[in-house]
């Protein structure tokens, strides 16, 4: 759970816009942090498998929406419910990125929904080297945050 929390923080720390407000009193000043109200985030994840990772994500991310997606048996035709995604920043959360369905999802978001790959980040505990390499070659501005990349056998 803590590892997931740290991964979420590392994934969004440079992405979240924070406004700093300084309030000056006679003898001191106070600093207040405010999230940008124009930003919204959508997290695509398998809520059953990644519940421990995303359970406390609302404490870090303001104005976010969790969307369940099953990476194991998905087809591009089953992504019709994702049509509401437009200006959101998208974070895809998966524990073990080891199947190619993530590529179908990214292809759908970028090619069909016309979402820029820089608008998407992937967060996973472990990632297959072949998937990481493929995504890096296809989408150079796509960022993947992981704790371990393993070689395929």
């Amino acid at each position: 759970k803590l590892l997931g929390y740290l991964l979420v923080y590392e994934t969004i720390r440079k992405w979240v816009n924070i406004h700093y407000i300084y309030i000056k009193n006679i003898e001191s000043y106070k600093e207040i942090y405010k999230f940008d109200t124009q930003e919204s985030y959508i997290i695509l994840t398998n809520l059953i498998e990644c519940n421990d990772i995303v359970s406390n994500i609302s404490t870090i991310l303001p104005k976010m929406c969790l969307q369940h997606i099953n990476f194991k048996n998905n087809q591009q035709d089953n992504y019709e419910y994702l049509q509401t995604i437009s200006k959101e920043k998208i974070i895809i959360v998966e524990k073990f990125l080891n199947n190619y369905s993530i590529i179908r999802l990214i292809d759908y978001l970028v090619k069909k929904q016309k979402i820029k790959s820089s608008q998407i980040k992937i967060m996973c505990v472990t990632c297959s080297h072949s998937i990481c390499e493929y995504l890096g070659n296809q989408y150079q501005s796509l960022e993947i945050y992981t704790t371990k990349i393993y070689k395929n056998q």
Side-chain angles (χ1 to χ4, degrees), residues 5-60:
Y5 205 67
L6 292 171
L7 266 173
V8 169
Y9 170 75
E10 184 61 31
T11 303
I12 66 165
R13 70 182 177 91
K14 293 180 182 175
W15 213 16
V16 174
N17 288 328
I18 299 174
H19 300 286
Y20 302 98
I21 302 169
Y22 298 96
I23 300 174
K24 176 88 168 120
N25 292 333
I26 294 175
E27 296 179 6
S28 65
Y29 71 93
K30 185 176 183 181
E31 188 174 359
I32 299 174
Y33 308 100
K34 184 173 178 7
F35 289 105
D36 190 345
T37 56
Q38 300 299 316
E39 287 188 342
S40 60
Y41 301 85
I42 186 161
I43 297 167
L44 302 175
T45 187
N46 186 327
L47 291 172
I48 297 165
E49 292 179 4
C50 298
N51 184 41
D52 53 343
I53 294 175
V54 297
S55 61
N56 293 328
I57 204 165
S58 62
T59 59
I60 298 176

Side-chain angles (χ1 to χ4, degrees), residues 103 106-107 110-111 117 134-142:
I103 294 169
I106 300 294
D107 286 343
V110 171
K111 294 175 182 170
S117 60
Y134 178 84
L135 288 173
N137 290 334
Q138 289 294 108
Y139 306 104
Q140 287 82 21
S141 61
L142 181 71

